[in-house]
Each structure stands twice: as C-alpha cells, then as structure tokens.
Amino acid sequence: IGKLQNANDSIGVVRIDSESELRTYWQSWQGYTHLSTGQKVMTGFLLEEYIDGPEFSLETVQGYCQARQVLGVTAKEDFVGEGGAAFTELAVTFPCEMTHSEIAADLIGQALDSLGVTCGVVHTEFRVTASGDIKILEINPRMAGDMLGSHAVPKATGVDTAGAIVEAALGNELRISVRDQGAATIVGLHATREGVFR
C-alpha cells in the first residue's frame, strides 16, 4: 500500500502490485503538494504491507498514568474507490460485535505500552486475516476522524471524548464510565460523478 505521509480522507492511499505501479504512483503523487485545507503535504511516501480481511478500529481512552479503557470496536463496513484504491471509508458502526475484540484489545494495549502512550484518546486501525490474526495498520494518538470520535463514540458511550483529551493533557484524573446500550452508524453519500447534489 502506498500512502502520503500526512494526507487525510484516504487521499493517495493505493494498493501497488508491481514495480511499474510503484513507479507510476511515485510519479503521479510527486506534484501533490497541498491538501484542500491548504496544509502542506510532506515529501516522500509510506509503503505498507497489504493485509486482506475485514477492517476495524479500537477506540481507547486513558488519563495520564491511569488504566487504559476500551470504549469499543468500530466496524468499517463499506469502502469506496476504484481499482486498487478502495480505501475511503463509506460506512462505519460503533460499537460492533467482533469475535476477536478481547484479543485485539490486548494486542493493541501491548503496542501502545511499547510506544510509551500513557494518556489520551487513541484510534487504532487493524484488520483480521482469514486465519484470525490481528494485524495493526495504524496507531493514531488522537480520536477517530470523520465525526466518529467526536460524535458517534460519545453518542454510543456517553463519554465526552473531546473533554477527555483536554483533561488528559492537563494531567487531570479521568472519571469515565462507559455505558453499553448505545450505538451509532455513520454512512457517507457518494456520487459516481461530479456535480451538484440536490
């Protein structure tokens, strides 16, 4: 998988299956210097192993030097894109039922400990292979984007994730209680051509 280092919304995320495709990718994205927000795109690219299987993310929260709490697992249910670039999330549900959720939480907890992550709201993306292995794709020391972390997770859990980030940054003790009965789904609308949506 080729990725721009600091883009968003899966811009520039492409599956690469050959040396010629890698060369084409390199040439195609060299001139992409700024995001639509005006933010400068870092030079160079990330290359990652492609992992097949359903994609999920684990949402956690942790006060400074407090125990880490799992808020839940997000299912990424639909993607949009063409060819080897179908990585833009179109539909997500939080929380989801997942067979390997405890194993994923344990593995991701070990990874966060290894990286020295001691506080904050963290969004970790992973896939589950056909053999049931958990493969971490990204660890993001921030809440999930696209209104998942700021709207869907609080709606489902009752946890003020934005407030937790501020309190953790201030070193204050987090008093968080996660309720289990809530759920939320985000579905994006996608048009196959440019134009005005009415």
Side-chain angles (χ1 to χ4, degrees), residues 17-171:
D17 291 313
S18 68
E19 187 176 331
S20 65
E21 288 181 11
L22 177 58
R23 193 175 300 110
T24 300
Y25 178 83
W26 183 270
Q27 293 166 350
S28 298
W29 290 97
Q30 285 293 331
Y32 191 76
T33 58
H34 289 81
L35 302 175
S36 60
T37 58
Q39 179 183 350
K40 186 175 181 184
V41 174
M42 295 172 62
T43 57
F45 305 97
L46 300 173
L47 292 177
E48 299 177 357
E49 175 189 4
Y50 173 72
I51 298 165
D52 199 13
E55 188 169 327
F56 303 89
S57 63
L58 185 78
E59 320 309 332
T60 60
V61 63
Q62 182 178 12
Y64 183 67
C65 290
Q66 287 181 254
R68 186 176 298 116
Q69 292 188 56
V70 173
L71 297 175
V73 175
T74 303
K76 300 183 179 187
E77 300 172 308
D78 196 12
F79 294 85
V80 68
E82 297 177 7
F87 297 106
T88 301
E89 298 159 17
L90 197 59
V92 297
T93 297
F94 176 90
C96 72
E97 294 292 328
M98 185 198 153
T99 307
H100 306 286
S101 60
E102 289 184 16
I103 297 169
D106 184 56
L107 179 68
I108 290 166
Q110 292 176 47
L112 294 174
D113 290 342
S114 296
L115 291 170
V117 177
T118 59
C119 69
V121 176
V122 180
H123 168 68
T124 304
E125 299 179 340
F126 64 95
R127 287 194 175 207
V128 181
T129 67
S131 60
D133 292 332
I134 307 292
K135 300 285 188 173
I136 296 173
L137 304 176
E138 297 178 359
I139 294 177
N140 300 289
R142 56 161 174 80
M143 73 171 73
D146 296 326
M147 298 194 308
L148 173 60
S150 59
H151 291 72
V153 172
K155 184 80 171 170
T157 63
V159 174
D160 176 8
T161 49
I165 290 170
V166 173
E167 294 301 318
L170 292 172

Side-chain angles (χ1 to χ4, degrees), residues 1-4 12-16 25 45-48:
I1 302 295
K3 288 184 177 182
L4 302 179
V13 179
V14 177
R15 179 174 169 172
I16 299 169
Y25 178 83
F45 305 97
L46 300 173
L47 292 177
E48 299 177 357

